[in-house]
Amino acid sequence: MKQTLYKIWDHLEEYVLVYSLMVSVALVTYKHEAYIREALDSILMQQVDFSYEIVVGDDCSPDGTQDILREYAGRYPGRFLLLLREKNLGATANSYDIKCHCKGRYIAQLEGDDFWTDPHKLQRQVDFLEAHPEYIGTAHMHHVVDENSRPIEG
């Protein structure tokens, strides 16, 4: 009986450790060298009262995307989990694998050529979901911009 109790306790401890991370930001990249810094900075500017991780899957970019990701991971130790592919998996498999590595209670999706503009985005979404357990997700307004981050009217 004692062994069973320990096994259950071990499992509970694992559960608590996993969910001590409130949010996993799942960042999908491929050939985003020109945009990835803005995407990363928009995640790092988030003002939150909970812990989060950034899980990045780069799908074997032939440009300098992986170098930039390593640079950021070096500047922010413990914040990033980098999944740097040596061969191209394709968008669907890359995205799926990223999500399989996420440990947060919630997953926020961002692509490497997109960025967030509101530093309270994650906090607002988590606050809403925590206050409304009947909901399983949130969405937000967005703007389409050109390669210089200028809004495109349409």
Side-chain angles (χ1 to χ4, degrees), residues 106 124-138:
Y106 302 111
R124 284 192 189 119
Q125 290 178 312
V126 167
D127 289 347
F128 178 85
L129 290 169
E130 290 291 292
H132 298 92
E134 69 275 19
Y135 286 84
I136 61 166
T138 64

Side-chain angles (χ1 to χ4, degrees), residues 43-96:
I43 299 167
L44 294 166
M45 78 171 181
Q46 293 299 302
Q47 298 173 19
V48 296
D49 64 6
F50 52 80
S51 59
Y52 69 94
E53 67 176 349
I54 304 167
V55 182
V56 186
D58 179 77
D59 203 11
C60 194
S61 291
D63 60 7
T65 303
Q66 289 191 3
D67 294 332
I68 295 168
L69 293 171
R70 285 188 201 93
E71 172 195 326
Y72 272 75
R75 285 198 330 222
Y76 299 93
R79 176 68 69 191
F80 288 87
L81 171 60
L82 299 182
L83 306 170
L84 306 177
R85 316 298 179 190
E86 293 182 10
K87 72 179 232 182
N88 190 272
L89 299 179
T92 302
N94 186 32
S95 183
Y96 176 78

Side-chain angles (χ1 to χ4, degrees), residues 10-28:
D10 288 345
H11 179 71
L12 287 173
E13 188 174 327
E14 208 173 278
Y15 177 83
V16 169
L17 286 173
V18 166
Y19 285 108
S20 66
L21 273 173
M22 184 63 79
V23 174
S24 293
V25 178
L27 182 61
V28 178

